[in-house]
């Protein structure tokens, strides 16, 4: 089942065994697609084998369960793992007690339950899982070559992977808790065997850590089943959901137990360390665990339980807190990591936390977001793991710092990796759109704590992904291409995952209509208020554009190139060496900021373990008390608001974009001229003419078009386009959250332009620009949520529908916006990345290597941003009265003059002060304002 080095006729692994593996994987994928075609969009379907088979199937189930336990007992005894042995002993006792005593001869049923969510999971398991197995053919050939001292056990490796997929199919299709539990434990055993595959001390320690933590979840699963049996409750998952949804409070305890099982499998804190330890395994193992198996089993269980969280408040609050807290803490800890696989692990834990929180909220909107998070995380994360595995084998490292110049050394791989990273955190890709829906669902249910955790966690997410993207985007003129010997099986699997990332984003409206919404309708009777078809279509078009740019035009246009600036006479530009003022040769070095002294594991590990343990203990005990003392329960949502829209979104955005593209540069140019005039007056100078900014840009356009690389200009053009589109969405009255996301995407393109130059000064400026985005993003999230809670819609045009302007209800958030506006406009004291002033010690920071037309685009983008951000300020004073527009313009101008005054009267601060005060002000004013609005809406 593998391709041995030197197999006859198998230069890339096409031996008979290799062909068999590919054929088997392809059959699984094809049958999964056929299965999906048969049941897509249909009503839930129940299958049951003939009753006479049931006793035998029950015995087979018991034998499988005890066989898994026997395997674990043998390994525990062999390696003298006392805790593992004790935990498996408890599981064996519970299994035999449940089978022979409690059920009294009653057999488990063979019922299978298939709905649209089952179809989604089958497609993920079958297509993504099979693709990873194909990738493993080439990867494990190299792995074995690097581990010649070990016996070739690749047949065993592939057998476990196929068994893993089989167990996952059982979990998502079976309706009987007994069968689900057995498959649940098989995935735990398969994970143990794959993590410990290398049989080194580190691998074995991490494998046993995984099995110990997941056996805790397994015991919780058994306790839940035992409680159901003791109390005569349904033993079929579908019937259990229906019984609990009818308001029977007794389900609260088994729901909490099953939630605990799901959270252990989904690597939620405090159980997250097993997934971090799993990184010692071969890359195909990591990809399989993260994308289509192990952790997806946990999220599947939690999302299945979602309707019961709505009526079981104790279990809901436990799940919500653990998921939201995990998202924030894992996102923060990812910042401090340099190991690419460890960054991927923390990002997986964070996104699983978001899915867990969505399940805990339990509304149709939250589950819609959670299901899409599962889909997009599966395809994007599998792509990233496969790319990192290939890179590791060819550059000899998985350290992000060693991926410098990968865009030249492995151009195809770098582009695939960049697509995967973008797919994880920026609009218009699916993960970000799913987070958009998540925030919308949290806002509509008044989840203040979750909104705060999501806001700060998302800001941290931007920083660690942007840094990694920056390393990948660096370009040197003559780097050697080292990807020519990548196995065809690896390229095939990576190409499949890249296609899935793009297709899932472009086809998101179809996925919603034919897969996700039918599941919600069957579960809740409605699919709730999603983010809207217009918004999904717009995002799909932008994804298609980005994919074309990334794989079709980026770096393809020939440009006139020059050397980067190195504060001296360049000796070797690629090595960043130059002659200093005394004639000595020096090297300019720069490394990404990992902020380990603030967000390192040593700082955050303790609270990330203790607080979730306390929350889980309280949740389990409270759920047991609730189940025993409350005969019935009702919907426990504090608030459930409808998300409105003002309609005609696409047409308004089109008109707004055209108007903004024409008028914003003109208005922004005049504002820049006023800025220079007033600044000169404050400094006792006459100052330049009002139209000097226009003359400067005209001169830049006329200059020789010189670049330090072939991609810098493309990134800057993309940044300008997205800034204009963001302005068009806002002034066209479109979704404010979408406007914010596109502003962030524009900022990312700007940052990548600087990183791509490999200039030490531009890189430091890019690092600081990324920190500025991280500083102000939470306040913008709070602003969007505050607008919704005030207006009932995220559409900016909603302000025209109300008698009172938003400032009446949102004055604390307005103060916060004024503070972060200084950061966004890059005015002193927060002009850390670049400024127009002479005191910029980084030469020109992020724009150091930009000149001519590229710098002209930056200036025009800055003009557009000024008009957009001042529009945000004016929005607070707009209502249905047309005269309010005059007041809004006046306030916007006053804000602009205030920023000029601050810029000329305050000295620059350190980035630490900027981040600290931006987050403190955002946290205090933003959270307090949103909490007050939730209370007002409830009362």
């Amino acid at each position: 089942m593998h391709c041995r080095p030197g197999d006859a006729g198998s230069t890339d692994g096409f031996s008979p065994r290799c062909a068999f593996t590919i054929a088997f994987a392809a059959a699984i994928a094809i049958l999964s697609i056929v299965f999906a075609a048969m049941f897509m969009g249909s009503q839930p379907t129940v299958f049951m084998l003939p009753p006479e088979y049931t006793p035998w199937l029950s015995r087979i189930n018991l034998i499988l369960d005890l066989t898994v336990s026997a395997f674990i007992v043998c390994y525990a005894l062999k390696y003298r793992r006392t805790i593992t042995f004790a935990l498996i002993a408890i599981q064996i006792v519970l299994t035999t007690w449940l089978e022979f005593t409690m059920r009294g001869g009653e057999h488990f049923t063979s019922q299978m339950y298939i709905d649209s969510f089952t179809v989604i999971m089958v497609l993920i398991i079958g297509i993504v899982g099979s693709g990873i197995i194909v990738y493993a053919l080439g990867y494990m050939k190299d792995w074995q070559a690097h581990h010649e001292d070990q016996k070739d056990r690749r047949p065993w490796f592939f057998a476990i992977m196929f068994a893993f997929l089989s167990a996952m199919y059982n979990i998502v299709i079976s309706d009987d808790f007994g069968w689900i539990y057995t498959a649940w434990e098989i995935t735990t055993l398969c994970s143990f065997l794959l993590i410990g595959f290398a049989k080194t001390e580190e691998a074995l320690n991490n494998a046993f850590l995984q099995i110990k933590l997941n056996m805790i979840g397994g015991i919780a699963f058994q306790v839940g089943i035992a409680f159901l049996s003791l109390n005569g409750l349904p033993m079929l998952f579908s019937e259990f959901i229906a019984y609990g949804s009818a308001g029977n409070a007794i389900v609260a305890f088994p729901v909490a137990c099953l939630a605990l099982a799901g959270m252990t499998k989904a690597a939620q804190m405090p159980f997250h360390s097993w997934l971090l330890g799993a990184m010692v395994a071969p890359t195909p193992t990591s990809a399989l665990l993260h994308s289509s198996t192990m952790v997806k089993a946990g999220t599947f269980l939690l999302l299945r339980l979602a309707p019961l969280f709505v009526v079981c408040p104790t279990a809901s609050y436990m799940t919500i807190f653990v998921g939201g807290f995990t998202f924030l803490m894992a996102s923060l800890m990812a910042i401090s990591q340099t190991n690419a696989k460890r960054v991927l692990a923390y990002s997986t834990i964070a996104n699983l936390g978001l899915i867990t929180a969505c399940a805990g909220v339990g509304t149709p909107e939250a589950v819609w977001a959670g299901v899409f998070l599962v889909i997009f995380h599966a395809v994007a994360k599998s792509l990233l793991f496969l790319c990192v595995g290939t890179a590791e084998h060819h550059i000899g490292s998985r350290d992000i710092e060693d991926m410098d110049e990968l865009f030249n050394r492995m151009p195809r791989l770098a582009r695939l990796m960049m697509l995967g990273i973008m797919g994880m955190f920026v609009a218009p890709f699916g993960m970000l759109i799913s987070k958009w829906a998540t925030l919308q669902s949290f806002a509509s249910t008044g989840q203040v704590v979750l909104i705060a955790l999501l806001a700060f966690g998302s800001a941290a997410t931007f920083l660690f992904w942007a840094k990694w993207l920056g390393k990948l985007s660096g370009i040197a003129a003559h780097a050697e291409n080292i990807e020519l010997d990548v196995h065809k099986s690896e390229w095939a699997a990576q190409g499949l995952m890249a296609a899935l990332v793009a297709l899932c984003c472009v086809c998101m409206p179809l996925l919603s209509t034919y897969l996700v919404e039918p599941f919600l309708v069957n579960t809740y009777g409605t699919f709730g208020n999603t983010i809207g078809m217009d918004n999904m279509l717009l995002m799909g078009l932008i994804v298609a554009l980005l994919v074309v740019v990334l794989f079709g035009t980026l770096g393809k246009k020939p440009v006139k190139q020059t050397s980067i600036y190195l504060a001296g006479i360049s000796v070797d530009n690629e090595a960043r060496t130059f002659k200093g003022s005394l004639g000595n040769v020096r090297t300019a070095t720069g490394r990404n900021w990992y902020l380990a002294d603030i967000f390192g594991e040593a700082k955050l590990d303790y609270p990330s373990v203790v607080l979730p343990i306390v929350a889980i203990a309280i949740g389990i005990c409270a759920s047991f008390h609730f189940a025993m003392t409350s005969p019935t329960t009702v919907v426990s949502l504090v608030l459930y608001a409808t998300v409105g829209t003002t309609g005609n979104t696409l047409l308004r955005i089109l008109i707004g974009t055209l108007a903004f593209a024409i008028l914003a540069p003109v208005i922004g140019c005049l504002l820049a001229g006023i800025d220079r005039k007033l600044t000169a007056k404050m400094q006792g100078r006459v100052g330049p003419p009002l139209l000097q900014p226009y003359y400067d840009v005209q001169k830049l356009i006329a200059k020789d078009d010189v670049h330090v690389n072939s991609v810098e200009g493309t990134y800057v053009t993309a940044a300008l386009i997205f800034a204009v589109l963001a302005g068009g969405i806002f002034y066209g009255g479109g979704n404010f959250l979408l406007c914010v996301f596109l502003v962030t995407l524009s900022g990312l393109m700007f940052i990548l332009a600087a990183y791509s130059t490999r200039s030490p000064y531009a890189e430091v400026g890019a690092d600081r620009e990324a920190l500025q985005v991280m500083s102000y993003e939470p306040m913008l999230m709070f602003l969007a949520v505050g607008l919704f809670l005030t207006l009932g819609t995220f559409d900016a045009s909603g302000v025209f529908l109300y008698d009172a302007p938003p400032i009446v209800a949102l004055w604390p958030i307005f103060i916060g916006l004024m503070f972060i506006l200084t950061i966004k406009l890059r005015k002193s004291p927060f002009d850390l990345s670049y400024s127009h002033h002479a005191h910029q010690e980084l030469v020109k920071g992020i724009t150091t290597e930009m000149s001519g037309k590229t710098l002209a685009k930056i200036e025009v983008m800055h003009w557009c941003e000024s008009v957009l951000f001042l529009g945000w300020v004016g929005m607070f004073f707009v209502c249905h009265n047309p005269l309010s527009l005059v007041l809004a313009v006046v306030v916007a101008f006053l804000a602009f003059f205030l920023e000029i005054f601050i810029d000329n009267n305050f000295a620059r601060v350190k980035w630490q002060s900027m981040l600290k005060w931006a987050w403190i002000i955002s946290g205090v004013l933003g959270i307090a304002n949103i909490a007050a609005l939730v209370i007002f809406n409830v009362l």
Side-chain angles (χ1 to χ4, degrees):
M1 210 183 272
H2 64 285
C3 314
R4 296 182 183 278
D7 280 348
S10 61
T11 57
D12 196 55
F14 284 94
S15 67
R17 284 177 174 170
C18 184
F20 173 78
T21 302
I22 294 174
F24 205 68
I28 291 174
I30 292 170
L31 288 174
S32 298
I33 295 171
V34 172
F35 178 93
M38 291 173 61
F39 297 103
M40 182 182 298
S42 64
Q43 292 292 319
T45 304
V46 174
F47 291 98
M48 187 179 294
L49 296 176
E52 58 268 23
Y53 293 172
T54 301
W56 293 102
L57 291 172
S58 179
R59 295 187 185 99
I60 292 172
N61 181 68
L62 177 62
I63 292 170
L64 285 173
D65 201 350
L66 293 177
T67 301
V68 170
S69 299
F71 260 97
I72 298 173
V73 167
C74 292
Y75 278 103
L77 292 174
K78 179 179 180 180
Y79 293 101
R80 300 180 181 180
R81 306 290 174 143
T82 307
I83 296 177
T84 303
F85 182 81
L87 289 172
I88 194 60
I90 294 172
Q91 285 192 304
I92 293 172
V93 170
L94 286 173
T95 299
T96 52
W97 178 50
L98 182 62
E99 177 68 22
F100 296 110
T101 304
M102 294 178 59
R103 295 186 62 86
E106 178 187 348
H107 298 290
F108 292 117
T109 71
S110 58
Q111 180 164 307
M112 291 171 281
Y113 181 85
I114 300 169
D115 63 1
S116 293
F117 191 26
T118 307
V119 171
I120 291 170
M121 294 302 298
V122 165
L123 288 173
I124 290 173
I125 297 164
I127 299 176
V128 177
S130 298
I132 292 169
I133 290 176
V134 171
Y135 168 88
L137 292 168
Y139 181 92
M140 292 305 294
K141 183 176 182 180
D142 291 339
W143 189 91
Q144 189 62 46
H146 293 144
H147 297 79
E148 294 179 345
D149 56 319
Q150 293 195 21
K151 180 182 177 181
D152 189 349
R153 293 178 293 113
R154 283 178 287 168
W156 176 242
F157 180 87
F158 284 98
I160 298 170
M161 294 190 88
F162 280 118
F164 217 150
L165 298 187
S166 300
M168 282 297 300
Y169 281 126
N170 203 338
I171 289 173
V172 301
I173 294 177
S174 296
D175 198 26
D176 188 282
F177 277 121
W179 279 105
I180 295 173
Y181 170 73
T182 298
W184 190 268
E185 291 305 291
I186 291 174
T187 63
T188 298
L189 177 61
C190 289
S191 178
F192 168 80
L193 295 173
L194 289 174
I195 294 171
F197 181 76
K199 291 194 173 183
T200 62
E201 183 178 358
E202 182 184 18
L204 289 171
N205 287 338
N206 288 320
F208 276 106
L209 175 64
Q210 178 276 141
I211 211 165
K212 285 187 292 186
L213 293 177
N214 276 286
M215 279 196 293
I216 294 173
I219 292 170
F221 204 129
Q222 287 181 305
V223 170
I225 294 175
F227 187 89
L228 295 177
S229 184
L230 277 171
N231 291 278
L233 300 179
M235 295 297 292
L236 294 176
F237 206 160
S238 58
E239 294 179 3
F240 174 67
I241 297 294
Y243 182 81
S245 299
N248 296 289
I250 196 171
V251 303
F253 181 65
V255 167
C257 291
L258 293 172
L260 175 57
M263 288 189 290
T264 57
K265 194 72 86 175
Q268 295 300 279
M269 294 176 176
F271 309 106
H272 64 292
S273 54
W274 78 259
L275 193 58
L276 296 173
M279 296 302 99
V280 302
T283 293
T285 297
S286 301
L288 201 67
L289 291 177
H290 286 249
S291 63
S292 58
T293 57
M294 196 71 169
V295 298
K296 291 300 183 290
T299 57
F300 171 79
L301 179 61
L302 290 166
L303 288 169
R304 277 282 190 221
L305 292 169
L308 300 186
F309 288 125
V310 178
V311 295
C312 298
T314 51
S316 174
Y317 296 149
M318 174 187 76
T319 307
I320 286 171
F321 175 80
V322 171
F325 183 78
T326 298
F327 173 71
L328 173 63
M329 298 300 282
S331 297
L332 293 175
M333 285 193 274
I335 294 173
S336 64
Q337 305 302 309
T338 64
N339 184 314
K341 287 183 73 173
R342 204 163 177 87
V343 171
L344 294 179
Y346 271 120
S347 71
T348 290
I349 294 166
N351 284 292
L352 294 173
L354 209 52
I355 298 169
T356 300
C358 287
V361 172
T363 62
E365 294 84 358
V367 174
W368 188 93
V371 172
F372 269 112
L373 284 169
V374 168
I375 295 171
F376 289 115
H377 181 268
V379 294
K381 191 54 66 73
S382 59
L383 173 60
L384 281 172
F385 267 108
L386 302 190
C387 289
V388 168
T390 299
E392 181 184 4
H393 273 177
H394 286 77
I395 67 175
S397 172
R398 60 176 66 159
D399 194 299
I400 292 173
E401 290 296 327
D402 294 329
M403 294 182 186
D404 198 15
E405 301 177 24
L406 200 67
F407 196 91
N408 277 92
R409 292 187 289 168
M410 306 186 77
R412 190 195 309 180
L413 186 75
R415 285 174 167 82
L416 291 171
M417 200 180 297
M418 291 173 75
L419 176 65
I421 292 175
M422 288 183 182
M424 286 299 299
F425 85 110
V426 296
F429 289 95
M431 281 296 291
L432 194 280
I433 305 306
S434 301
K435 287 183 181 178
W436 171 1
T438 302
L439 182 63
Q440 183 170 296
S441 69
F442 292 170
S444 65
T445 52
Q447 301 285 348
V448 179
V449 174
L450 277 182
I451 291 168
L453 295 173
L454 179 59
F456 289 107
S458 295
T461 298
F462 178 88
L463 184 62
F464 69 75
W465 285 128
K467 292 190 304 178
W468 191 351
L469 265 178
K471 274 297 170 186
L472 292 175
S473 66
I475 290 182
H478 305 292
E480 180 185 359
N481 190 322
I482 59 173
E483 68 179 9
L484 300 178
D485 58 345
V486 174
H487 293 282
K488 292 179 181 178
S489 58
E490 295 181 44
W491 284 133
Q494 289 162 359
L496 171 65
M497 302 309 169
L500 289 175
V501 169
L503 283 174
C504 286
C505 294
V506 173
C507 299
M508 190 174 184
L510 297 177
L511 293 175
S512 179
T513 301
Y514 294 105
L515 286 176
V516 183
E517 290 175 13
F519 164 59
L520 297 176
V521 170
N522 292 331
T523 305
Y524 295 95
T526 178
F527 56 82
N529 300 290
T530 62
I531 63 173
M533 192 63 68
D534 285 351
N535 291 322
M536 285 190 280
L537 286 171
L538 182 61
M539 292 296 94
L541 291 174
I542 299 175
V543 166
L545 173 63
L546 280 175
V547 170
V548 169
V549 170
L550 191 60
F551 291 95
T553 63
L554 190 63
K556 303 295 178 65
K557 180 182 177 181
V559 296
K560 185 177 180 180
Q561 291 189 327
T562 188
S563 301
I564 61 174
Y565 175 70
L566 292 173
I569 301 173
S570 294
V571 175
D572 186 339
N573 228 53
E574 293 175 34
R576 300 189 189 187
T577 56
F578 64 96
K579 286 186 178 181
S581 57
L582 299 179
N584 55 324
V585 176
R586 304 181 63 182
T587 302
T589 59
R591 289 178 59 87
N592 277 328
W593 296 357
Y594 294 96
L595 314 185
D597 55 332
I598 302 175
F599 302 121
E601 292 169 314
K603 295 276 187 179
L604 302 180
D605 258 341
Y606 183 76
S608 69
V609 171
V610 173
L611 292 180
I613 288 177
V614 173
I616 290 170
I618 294 173
I620 294 291
C621 294
S623 296
F624 182 78
H625 180 267
F626 186 74
M628 294 292 98
T629 59
S630 302
T632 60
T633 184
V634 295
V635 173
S636 58
L637 294 174
V638 175
L639 174 70
Y640 189 31
T642 301
V643 180
T645 180
T646 54
N648 298 320
T649 305
L650 287 178
L651 178 60
R652 287 192 284 107
I653 288 175
L654 177 60
I655 296 172
T657 302
L658 291 174
F660 188 82
I662 295 170
L663 298 177
V666 176
I667 299 171
C669 177
L670 293 174
L671 290 174
I674 294 171
D675 187 347
R676 294 194 190 183
K677 294 287 287 187
L678 291 179
T679 297
K681 293 288 186 184
M682 290 180 185
Q683 296 173 357
R685 299 183 289 109
V686 175
L690 181 63
L691 293 180
Q692 188 61 48
Y694 166 74
Y695 300 140
D696 290 343
V697 167
Q698 194 177 40
K699 286 187 289 185
L700 287 171
I701 294 173
K703 284 188 175 182
D704 195 10
D705 196 20
V706 177
H707 303 265
V708 296
N709 61 44
S710 58
V711 301
E712 173 193 66
T714 303
Y715 284 130
V716 170
T717 300
L720 175 58
I721 291 172
F722 291 128
V724 170
L725 184 56
I729 289 171
F730 175 73
Y731 283 102
N735 191 291
F736 184 78
L737 262 177
L738 179 55
C739 172
V740 170
F741 292 150
L742 288 178
V743 167
T744 302
L745 179 58
S746 173
L748 176 66
M749 293 294 115
F750 186 27
I751 290 168
L752 291 182
Y755 275 132
S756 72
T757 64
R758 298 187 72 249
S759 160
Y761 299 101
E763 283 187 358
V764 174
D767 286 335
R768 292 184 176 185
E769 183 76 13
L771 277 168
Q772 289 179 200
V773 175
M774 180 180 173
S775 299
Y776 66 68
E777 189 162 300
M779 193 68 245
L780 296 183
M781 297 273 242
F782 294 141
L783 170 55
V785 173
L787 283 173
F788 163 71
L789 292 174
T790 302
L791 307 175
T793 178
F794 284 99
D795 291 349
S797 57
V799 296
F800 293 104
L801 303 178
Y802 287 83
D803 294 333
I807 188 66
V808 175
L810 299 176
W811 61 266
I813 287 179
F814 178 76
I815 295 173
L817 175 64
M818 290 303 299
F819 181 85
I820 64 113
L821 187 64
T822 309
I823 302 174
K824 195 66 196 81
L825 292 176
R826 304 178 187 89
K827 298 290 188 183
S828 184
F830 303 128
D831 54 340
L832 278 74
S833 62
Y834 88 100
S835 79
H836 294 282
H837 299 301
H839 62 241
Q840 175 57 265
E841 82 281 5
L842 295 175
V843 188
K844 281 287 288 181
I846 194 170
T847 61
T848 297
E849 305 302 336
M850 298 174 188
S851 64
K853 292 182 177 66
T854 302
L855 193 55
K857 294 173 190 174
I858 295 297
E859 290 299 312
V860 174
M861 183 182 75
H862 187 65
W863 297 346
C864 293
E865 287 179 337
S866 298
V867 175
L868 173 58
F869 303 146
L870 291 176
W872 292 356
V873 174
M875 173 182 61
F876 280 81
F877 297 87
V878 176
C879 61
H880 82 287
N881 189 333
L883 292 177
S884 65
L885 290 172
V886 178
L887 176 61
V889 172
V890 171
V891 173
F893 270 107
L894 290 175
F896 178 65
F897 296 145
L898 177 62
E899 291 298 328
I900 296 173
F901 175 81
I902 293 172
D903 188 35
N904 285 277
N905 288 276
F906 289 86
R908 175 184 297 160
V909 299
K910 293 183 178 180
W911 66 263
Q912 291 92 335
S913 298
M914 175 189 68
L915 179 62
K916 179 179 72 174
W917 285 109
W919 276 25
I920 288 174
I921 290 173
S922 297
V924 173
L925 295 178
I927 295 173
N929 202 165
I930 289 171
L933 289 170
V934 169
I935 294 171
F936 176 79
N937 282 309
V938 170
L939 297 178

